[in-house]
Amino acid sequence: MNMLTHDIEAANDDRLGRSRNVRNGSIAIVALLLAGGAWKLTHQAPATAAPPPASVTIASPLVRDVRAWDDYIGRFAPSKTVEVRPRVSGQVVGVHFKDGDIVRQGQLLFTIDPRPFAAALAEARANAASARSTLALARSDLARANRLVGDEAISAGEVDALKARVQAAEAAVAAADARVREKALDTEFTQVRAPITGRISDRRVDAGNQVAGGEGTTGSLLTTINALDPIYFSFDGSEALFLKAQRARAAGTAASPVEIQLQDEAGYRWKGQLDFTDNGLDPRSGTIRGRAVLHNPNYFLTPGMFGNMRLASGGTQRALLVPDAAIQTDQARKTLLVVGQDGKVAVKPVTLGPVVDGLRVIATGLLPTDKVIISGTQMALPGMPVQATAGKIAPEANADAPAADAPAAAEATFAH
């Protein structure tokens, strides 16, 4: 019995020892974990540093006087057009120009056989001489009769008859002289001369052909001449632009200058003035016909050529300009990024105007004192600080201008 009790107590003591060892080991493990956590807390690496502010270039908008232009497409037309037709009928015996030449007013173009007209002129002159002879005889008879009146050798009725004969002879002389002038004109008309200066077309009649003379379009068409200096440029404008021009004219603005660019030209080298608008709008299209006049001393411009015309819309105006690349698109809005006094980026909605030498006119939404981000816009975020460097906005004379977003003025240039 004592042996059994002793064994049981020994077993219990053994279990208690093992439990104590397990507990002591767990406590040691927990202590090690706590010590490791404390070491991590005390020896943790420093937090990741924040990125530096984005670098941008800022500049105040360029303030310049600009002139706004409205764009049109039109066609050149001669300032005068003449159809050359003969005044008398006959055979063409000479052509005195080359097709397409520049002819001067009064230059001989065609010759019609003058011999029949010279003969008719000689006959008219002979009849005029006969009428003058008759008048001289009538006047002589009247003079003799007047000397006999005092002697009562001739009646008053005979004197009156002699006076009437003198008057009739004078009328006959006047008629004969008129026929002489008429025949002289017919003879002169056998030489067909240029009525205006300009470029002549090709001849429609060769020498040897018979032509019919007459007034208006009854005569045979010989050729045509277009006056090219000055030359017209015709175009159609909308009602809105017509109203703008009318209000500018009512305000006392001078005649609007125009500049025209040809199909193969990069710039607007042809200068002129607007000189005519029609007296009514076309009710079908709502447009009105306008015309500009240009000098063309070398006759380079030719009727029928197309051209792009820009018409100055009013006078000059003060404008704010920024690089077109600085403009952002926010859905339907156009915006600019500016840097405030606190060094942070802000967004400004703006209204755009035309492009001038690579710079965009800002119609509304921008102040002259604003600092516009002109470089580094991709890295600039609204509300975030940036590291700004001062820059400068300058025009680029050869920059390609993108399509304008402002319908009222399709183009602009710096005022001179």
Side-chain angles (χ1 to χ4, degrees), residues 271-340:
K271 317 295 183 181
Q273 297 286 335
L274 181 69
D275 78 325
F276 165 79
T277 53
D278 210 346
N279 58 359
L281 279 81
D282 188 336
R284 295 169 296 180
S285 62
T287 59
I288 188 168
R289 185 169 59 93
R291 187 183 71 196
V293 59
L294 300 85
H295 289 295
N296 186 29
N298 297 324
Y299 301 102
F300 181 84
L301 301 175
T302 302
M305 293 172 59
F306 280 99
N308 296 320
M309 187 194 81
R310 60 187 188 186
L311 170 66
S313 54
T316 61
Q317 59 184 357
R318 185 63 57 121
L320 304 179
L321 301 102
V322 300
D324 199 56
I327 297 169
Q328 307 288 311
T329 301
D330 181 8
Q331 295 181 351
R333 300 187 309 169
K334 299 295 183 181
T335 61
L336 285 172
L337 299 180
V338 299
V339 177

Side-chain angles (χ1 to χ4, degrees), residues 159-181:
V159 173
D160 291 340
L162 291 174
K163 289 181 180 179
R165 188 184 300 172
V166 170
Q167 293 175 350
E170 289 175 346
V173 169
D177 288 342
R179 284 192 292 272
V180 169
R181 290 193 295 272

Side-chain angles (χ1 to χ4, degrees), residues 10 85 144 202 206 229 245 260:
R85 300 178 186 269
R144 284 194 296 270
D202 60 335
D206 291 320
D229 186 24
I260 298 177

